[in-house]
Amino acid sequence: MSGLFKNTCRELKTENERRTGFEVEFKEIIQQNYSNLPSNQKKIAEFFLEYINDIPFLSIQELSRKSNSSVASIVRFSKRMGFIGYAELREKIADAIQGQINNKEFFSLFNTTEIKNDTLSSVAELDIKNINDTLLAINRDRFSDAISAIIKAKKVFTAGLGISFLLSEILAYQLNQVAINAANFKRDSSVFLEQALFLEKTDLVILFSFPPYSMETVELAKYCFENKITTISITNKPSSPISFFSNYVLVVKSENMLYTNSFAAISVLINAIATEIALRTKNKVQKMIQLLDSINP
């Protein structure tokens, strides 16, 4: 194997790390080179990002139909990524996914014999599935790197529009509780890009982007990315518009029975971010708790 992937992928210590690392590095390579791909290969790249778990089960003809691309384009895409052909690429992805599955723990779904045919049970079952799918989608090394970046940042800003605005406010509040200097971008008299003019390279921005995707949030991510400001995106799929302008992409499943997004898995991620930061900076967090107690006796 040679070319783009071989030159980019870092060496990993263990077999499981190599497998997990392959999938992460491969997605990052696609995202970093997406804008330079021909239009016919962009469709293939988007399919790989969103449905990478399906690739090991698809022949090149099946992938051609599902991605609405020609077999020749798939072969050229595989070679552009540094592989001999699609067969080698599919085999590497299969190894990576198997390594991930072997290292994941999942919540148990309700016993299907006990589930009643009612809305409460159906919604709860779907939310548990969202949490399980999120546990599978988020790579632990990338999550850890994102936490390290948050702790290292001079100041953290969160942003989002619509329901994502509320989520970004909650995360900013949680970060303040664990002694991270955080603030939420407001959407009142000034747009996001106007507020972004005051950002420094030592800052970090966390963006929430869920369907329907806000182009203002995507433009903010693009501005930060182009100006070397570390960006973390929390979104529903690795091929969402914001992911191509993010240093770290945390994929959270938000399927819902209605047209809105479910918050269950997103809430788990927000709580996990704050908890991990607290575990890593115990002394700092304890001092913050003492200060808060003195203010609110």
Side-chain angles (χ1 to χ4, degrees):
M1 185 172 60
S2 60
L4 179 62
F5 184 82
K6 185 176 181 180
N7 293 333
T8 306
C9 191
R10 61 186 173 87
E11 289 295 323
L12 298 167
K13 293 181 180 180
T14 67
E15 182 63 23
N16 281 337
E17 284 176 333
R18 280 196 296 273
R19 289 170 175 173
T20 304
F22 173 87
E23 183 181 350
V24 173
E25 296 286 353
F26 182 62
K27 285 182 177 180
E28 288 180 349
I29 290 166
I30 292 177
Q31 289 168 339
Q32 291 167 6
N33 293 275
Y34 178 84
S35 60
N36 296 322
L37 293 175
S39 58
N40 58 341
Q41 292 186 28
K42 282 184 177 179
K43 291 190 297 183
I44 300 170
E46 290 169 3
F47 188 92
F48 269 79
L49 286 172
E50 187 167 356
Y51 302 107
I52 194 166
N53 290 343
D54 296 339
I55 295 299
F57 309 101
L58 299 178
S59 67
I60 194 168
Q61 290 78 15
E62 290 170 329
L63 176 58
S64 173
R65 289 195 299 271
K66 287 182 176 292
S67 64
N68 196 26
S69 306
S70 68
V71 169
S73 293
I74 295 171
V75 172
R76 284 194 289 270
F77 172 79
S78 301
K79 290 182 177 179
R80 192 182 185 103
M81 293 296 105
F83 298 88
I84 296 173
Y86 173 67
E88 183 186 18
L89 175 54
R90 184 175 67 170
E91 181 182 352
K92 292 295 183 182
I93 291 173
D95 286 345
I97 291 172
Q98 185 59 50
Q100 260 193 321
I101 292 174
N102 290 340
N103 287 282
K104 293 290 184 292
E105 295 180 359
F106 302 95
F107 291 104
S108 297
L109 291 173
F110 293 123
N111 186 327
T112 54
T113 61
E114 297 176 357
I115 294 178
K116 297 179 180 179
N117 187 23
D118 64 81
T119 303
L120 180 61
S121 297
S122 298
V123 170
E125 183 182 14
L126 182 55
D127 276 342
I128 292 174
K129 182 179 184 300
N130 282 332
I131 294 172
N132 283 336
D133 289 345
T134 298
L135 288 174
L136 181 61
I138 295 181
N139 174 265
R140 300 310 191 266
D141 288 339
R142 297 303 288 164
F143 176 78
S144 178
D145 291 343
I147 297 298
S148 297
I150 293 172
I151 295 172
K152 181 181 177 182
K154 181 179 179 181
K155 188 167 185 178
V156 175
F157 292 89
T158 62
L161 287 177
I163 194 63
S164 292
F165 173 76
L166 298 178
L167 295 168
S168 66
E169 272 199 323
I170 293 170
L171 178 57
Y173 171 80
Q174 291 278 61
L175 291 176
N176 281 319
Q177 295 298 300
V178 292
I180 296 295
N181 186 5
N184 187 39
F185 270 27
K186 301 298 181 183
R187 187 60 174 88
D188 40 35
S189 59
S190 60
V191 298
F192 284 163
L193 286 181
E194 290 177 349
Q195 298 173 64
L197 296 175
F198 298 95
L199 292 173
E200 300 178 1
K201 287 183 171 58
T202 53
D203 295 333
L204 179 144
V205 179
I206 305 175
L207 302 174
F208 289 80
S209 183
F210 292 88
Y213 305 112
S214 163
M215 289 312 299
E216 184 175 343
T217 307
V218 175
E219 287 298 321
L220 173 58
K222 183 178 180 181
Y223 171 86
C224 293
F225 195 71
E226 290 176 347
N227 287 275
K228 311 299 182 184
I229 299 166
T230 303
T231 306
I232 299 173
S233 65
I234 298 176
T235 186
N236 68 311
K237 59 182 182 179
S239 61
S240 68
I242 202 170
S243 66
F244 300 106
F245 306 109
S246 304
N247 300 96
Y248 305 95
V249 180
L250 301 179
V251 176
V252 185
K253 299 301 180 180
S254 60
E255 298 295 328
N256 202 357
M257 294 177 67
L258 299 178
Y259 57 86
T260 57
N261 292 287
S262 168
F263 310 141
I266 305 172
S267 298
V268 169
L269 178 62
I270 290 174
N271 191 29
I273 290 172
T275 302
E276 180 66 16
I277 291 171
L279 290 172
R280 294 195 193 183
T281 59
K282 290 180 181 179
N283 293 335
K284 191 176 179 181
V285 172
Q286 287 174 353
K287 291 179 181 179
M288 174 62 72
I289 292 173
Q290 291 171 358
L291 286 173
L292 291 173
D293 287 342
S294 66
I295 295 172
N296 301 295

